[in-house]
Amino acid sequence: MPVRTTSTSATLADVFGYAEFRPHQAEIIDAIIAGHDAFVLMPTGGGKSLCFQIPALHRAGTAIVVSPLISLMKDQVDALCANGVAAAVLNSSQAAEQSSEVLSRLRAGELDLLYVSPERLVTDGFLQQLTRIELALFAIDEAHCVSQWGHDFRPEYVQLGCLRTRFPHVPVVALTATADEQTRTDVLRQLNLPEARTFVTGFDRPNIRYAAAYKIKPAAQLLDFLKQHDGESGIVYALSRRRVEEVAEKLRDVGVRAGAYHAGMNAVARARVQEAFMGDRLDVVVATVAFGMGIDKPDVRFVVHYDMPKSIEGYYQETGRAGRDGLPAEALMLWSMQDVMTSKGFIDAVANEEQRRIETHKLNSMIAFAEALSCRRRALLGYFGEELTEDCGNCDVCSDPPETYDATIDAQKALSAVYRLSERFGMGYVVDVLRGSEGQRILENGHDALSVYGIGGEYSKDEWTSIFRQLIHRGYLRVDVAEYSTLKLNATAAAVLRGEEDVRLARPPAPRPTAEKPPKSAKRARSLALETDEQAELFERLRELRRELAEERSVPAYVVFADAALADMARRQPTTPEEFLLVSGVGKAKLEQYGEVFLRAIAGS
Ligand code: ADP
Ligand code: ZN
């Protein structure tokens, strides 16, 4: 294909249908076109792909893109072809004739981009072939896979280090969304890119609203949440296979189009669920963390954690799958003391002491995030070393700050109950004693004679539990998991007990009546910034049309158009091809393929 000589912003508009570059995209693209190596760290959904796709069109020769997952490559190539770009994929699952056709197009210089699996790329034969053709660049997507520090180490990535030396004049660009500093340094070392221009954009995903709630009735809490997201795409993560099955079943029972996904299912069944999700034939996938790396669906509107993740890294990565298209999305985490205990149990079973220490630290940070009494986004970004100058206004704590109160007396009651019970009982028992329960064990143990017996009758069990949780996270108490989860006093408790230190805690949450359900079109209008019911209705019809077209062509729905593009159509309601081109996400190829049928659908309203 001829090299594009127009400006890169013209390419952005003509080919991809976007009006403006996102932060850093233009700089990165210019650096690569100028022939520099680059290291790009951008959060998920930040728009990494364009950073090498546009240079691929502006430099002579073919761009070779390495990506770890076949499904990801296929989806990206489908999307590029739909935009009229000459792209193809080469992988081990292809029939011989299919790959020989791709290879002959490669030799003929017909391809702008070739996606290839790492193991295929580093075979001697293939590298030999590459020396005989003109290369625009190498792009290494998910580059953290090269590092053993990261969470997705793939041995076949290690040999990619040879590219820099074997092809000294071809720029190499490595891209990742991985946060961890150690991994970043290691990636550059492993790939031999000491001279790479490094581009780091922040980790903030401003369109994702973060919320966490303590589990009271998790199934009911989940259903309540899903009612606000009727018909939208979402993922619900749960920790065990059994739980995944149960939750998926429950959702189907109430009419949600939900599927289950976990590593215990066979590959065919898993692929079926994934494809149905990509094609919008399933709205919700309930999954273990096995579901994720291959999911490049831009219009995932929510991610729910049904159990607390073990680390903030995991939480960030999983919630990051929401809202890649930049439209509003929600992340809800449900968590409980039981989840904390389960994770602590796993950590205690780890033999290596250093690793136990690291994992304990990660878990504690996760708990602190769950318990946050100030802006949750600040807590999240703070973990990655990024400072927000002000509260975000788009998290549950910002929009509904918890009320705090002087809890010194409550704390004294709680701590002295633990003390009087000789630090030998768990939270449930201590709460029962405080509330003056006449349970058999308490009477048998003679604990009704203690001075603390019945001094906490003014609070419910849940309210006391909340107070104890907060005292644990403030470090006054700890849970001894090795000893039947009994509560122990820490040294800091002494000052509170002696009346030398005041304690402020968040008011224990009172069960809150659920808000009245707004009509469906109004909800959708809110999340996509549609202004009228008429627009919302048109959006629904366009979505249906997209689903049909995607099914006909066997491509994921977003390859036809992303939600953002449909929403823009519903707002602008174009009547001519020229107006249709102004829609965000419509380039020349999309106009040609879909303009007529969408214009007709819009006119029919
Ligand atoms: P990443 O690989 O960083 O997770 P992608 O490259 O898949 O993200 O981009 C996420 C979404 O944002 C895609 O739907 C993409 O088309 C869209 N996008 C990228 N750049 C722009 C832009 N400049 N304007 C509008 N949308 C964009
Ligand atoms: Zn906030």
Side-chain angles (χ1 to χ4, degrees):
M1 295 294 254
V3 177
R4 297 185 70 95
T5 50
T6 54
S7 70
T8 53
S9 32
T11 304
L12 180 71
D14 291 350
V15 179
F16 298 95
Y18 297 133
E20 276 169 42
F21 282 115
R22 294 222 182 118
H24 296 281
Q25 280 180 329
E27 290 166 62
I28 298 168
I29 288 168
D30 289 346
I32 300 171
I33 293 176
H36 297 292
D37 293 340
F39 178 68
V40 176
L41 178 74
M42 232 186 226
T44 308
K48 282 187 285 300
S49 321
L50 285 186
C51 295
F52 57 83
Q53 289 169 347
I54 290 183
L57 303 178
H58 281 258
R59 284 179 61 90
T62 304
I64 306 293
V65 185
V66 188
S67 170
L69 282 173
I70 293 176
S71 61
L72 276 185
M73 294 197 267
K74 199 180 153 305
D75 290 346
Q76 284 213 7
V77 168
D78 283 346
L80 282 168
C81 293
N83 280 328
V85 175
V89 58
L90 203 55
N91 67 50
S92 44
S93 71
Q94 275 167 331
E97 59 195 281
Q98 215 175 347
S99 46
S100 73
E101 192 218 308
V102 171
L103 285 172
S104 72
R105 288 178 70 196
L106 175 69
R107 278 190 298 268
E110 287 170 16
L111 291 174
D112 289 321
L113 293 107
L114 176 67
Y115 283 66
V116 54
S117 61
E119 58 275 15
R120 181 72 195 255
L121 173 61
V122 297
T123 56
D124 262 344
F126 191 70
L127 288 173
Q128 276 299 329
Q129 297 203 33
L130 290 187
T131 57
R132 291 192 286 271
I133 61 168
E134 189 166 22
L135 294 175
L137 57 97
F138 287 104
I140 301 174
D141 208 359
E142 313 285 356
H144 57 275
C145 291
V146 74
S147 168
Q148 304 209 36
W149 289 104
H151 40 73
D152 286 321
F153 175 61
R154 287 167 184 253
E156 62 280 13
Y157 257 63
V158 172
Q159 294 176 62
L160 297 174
C162 75
L163 295 176
R164 178 62 301 142
T165 32
R166 284 188 79 143
F167 300 89
H169 303 297
V170 182
V172 175
V173 44
L175 308 100
T176 176
T178 285
D180 164 10
E181 177 79 47
Q182 217 157 22
T183 312
R184 282 183 233 165
T185 324
D186 200 34
V187 168
L188 289 173
R189 204 173 50 82
Q190 298 284 347
L191 292 176
N192 282 317
L193 301 176
E195 312 272 291
R197 304 275 167 102
T198 295
F199 300 90
V200 179
T201 59
F203 290 105
D204 193 14
R205 303 282 313 278
N207 60 318
I208 299 180
R209 180 187 155 81
Y210 297 102
Y214 198 74
K215 284 184 198 174
I216 300 166
K217 292 197 173 109
Q221 287 168 290
L222 174 63
L223 289 179
D224 233 42
F225 176 83
L226 291 182
K227 274 186 203 148
Q228 320 273 326
H229 293 275
D230 201 11
E232 298 180 357
S233 283
I235 306 174
V236 177
Y237 283 111
L239 235 37
S240 69
R241 294 171 190 187
R242 214 189 66 207
R243 186 93 70 134
V244 163
E245 301 276 0
E246 278 169 14
V247 174
E249 184 79 41
K250 244 178 221 148
L251 296 186
R252 281 193 293 261
D253 281 350
V254 297
V256 177
R257 296 194 303 171
Y261 186 107
H262 57 69
M265 293 159 54
N266 67 40
V268 179
R270 286 206 311 257
R272 201 178 308 130
V273 169
Q274 182 166 338
E275 275 159 28
F277 185 57
M278 300 304 276
D280 281 352
R281 296 185 302 280
L282 272 183
D283 290 327
V284 178
V285 174
V286 187
T288 57
V289 290
F291 186 68
M293 260 281 258
I295 305 312
D296 216 348
K297 189 169 163 56
D299 59 355
V300 173
R301 294 270 68 83
F302 61 87
V303 168
V304 176
H305 283 91
Y306 198 78
D307 301 304
M308 191 176 78
K310 294 190 192 67
S311 70
I312 292 196
E313 284 92 344
Y315 172 81
Y316 178 79
Q317 202 183 31
E318 284 136 30
T319 54
R321 294 179 183 130
R324 297 176 74 122
D325 53 10
L327 296 171
E330 270 192 83
L332 170 67
M333 174 173 84
L334 299 175
W335 70 287
S336 71
M337 217 51 213
Q338 191 55 50
D339 293 350
V340 173
M341 299 301 176
T342 309
S343 297
K344 284 210 164 114
F346 283 125
I347 294 174
D348 287 337
V350 171
N352 180 314
E353 194 185 326
E354 171 68 3
Q355 200 189 341
R356 237 183 3 249
R357 203 182 54 74
I358 294 173
E359 288 188 21
T360 302
H361 167 75
K362 291 192 169 183
L363 178 62
N364 287 340
S365 310
M366 190 71 240
I367 298 169
F369 174 79
E371 290 259 295
L373 298 178
S374 52
C375 177
R376 230 179 268 284
R377 188 179 311 273
R378 282 191 134 168
L380 184 63
L381 296 177
Y383 181 80
F384 295 122
E386 203 174 308
E387 292 275 337
L388 269 186
T389 49
E390 48 190 35
D391 287 353
C392 78
N394 191 26
C395 73
D396 56 345
V397 183
C398 277
S399 41
D400 193 6
E403 193 188 328
T404 63
Y405 73 110
D406 180 351
T408 311
I409 293 180
D410 292 346
Q412 286 170 343
K413 287 183 184 177
L415 298 174
S416 46
V418 173
Y419 177 71
R420 294 286 164 204
L421 288 164
S422 313
E423 306 176 73
R424 284 176 40 229
F425 292 87
M427 194 190 298
Y429 190 94
V430 182
V431 169
D432 283 347
V433 169
L434 276 171
R435 300 187 67 242
S437 149
E438 291 174 359
Q440 204 186 343
R441 247 180 100 214
I442 293 180
L443 301 182
E444 275 173 16
N445 287 333
H447 287 151
D448 53 337
L450 292 176
S451 58
V452 291
Y453 180 77
I455 60 171
E458 72 275 30
Y459 288 136
S460 70
K461 246 181 143 83
D462 282 344
E463 286 166 326
W464 272 118
T465 305
S466 160
I467 292 168
F468 273 98
R469 269 193 291 124
Q470 297 186 58
L471 292 174
I472 292 168
H473 301 317
R474 301 293 178 87
Y476 297 115
L477 287 172
R478 68 178 184 282
V479 177
D480 190 340
V481 186
E483 208 191 297
Y484 310 106
S485 298
T486 50
L487 290 177
K488 306 279 184 204
L489 294 167
N490 283 335
T492 47
V496 177
L497 283 169
R498 285 198 299 264
E500 293 163 10
E501 185 176 319
D502 289 346
V503 179
R504 279 198 86 77
L505 296 179
R507 244 299 154 234
R512 162 180 326 193
T514 47
E516 209 172 284
K517 194 182 155 191
K520 183 171 170 178
S521 54
K523 275 177 299 166
R524 177 100 61 203
R526 214 175 34 227
S527 74
L528 293 164
L530 296 172
E531 280 137 28
T532 63
D533 276 2
E534 183 220 345
Q535 291 180 1
E537 217 176 281
L538 174 56
F539 176 80
E540 292 298 334
R541 278 198 292 115
L542 297 178
R543 216 163 165 253
E544 185 54 33
L545 174 62
R546 173 181 70 177
R547 205 183 52 71
E548 286 163 19
L549 292 169
E551 213 161 287
E552 261 169 41
R553 293 164 164 73
S554 306
V555 292
Y558 71 83
V559 165
V560 178
F561 281 119
D563 272 7
L566 297 187
D568 206 31
M569 278 178 218
R571 265 189 308 265
R572 291 173 187 262
Q573 309 196 357
T575 54
T576 63
E578 292 71 38
E579 287 173 11
F580 196 70
L581 254 183
L582 295 177
V583 172
S584 173
V586 177
K588 287 179 179 154
K590 290 274 170 82
L591 170 66
E592 212 165 281
Q593 262 196 78
Y594 301 114
E596 206 180 309
V597 34
F598 275 86
L599 281 170
R600 220 179 310 126
I602 294 165
S605 58

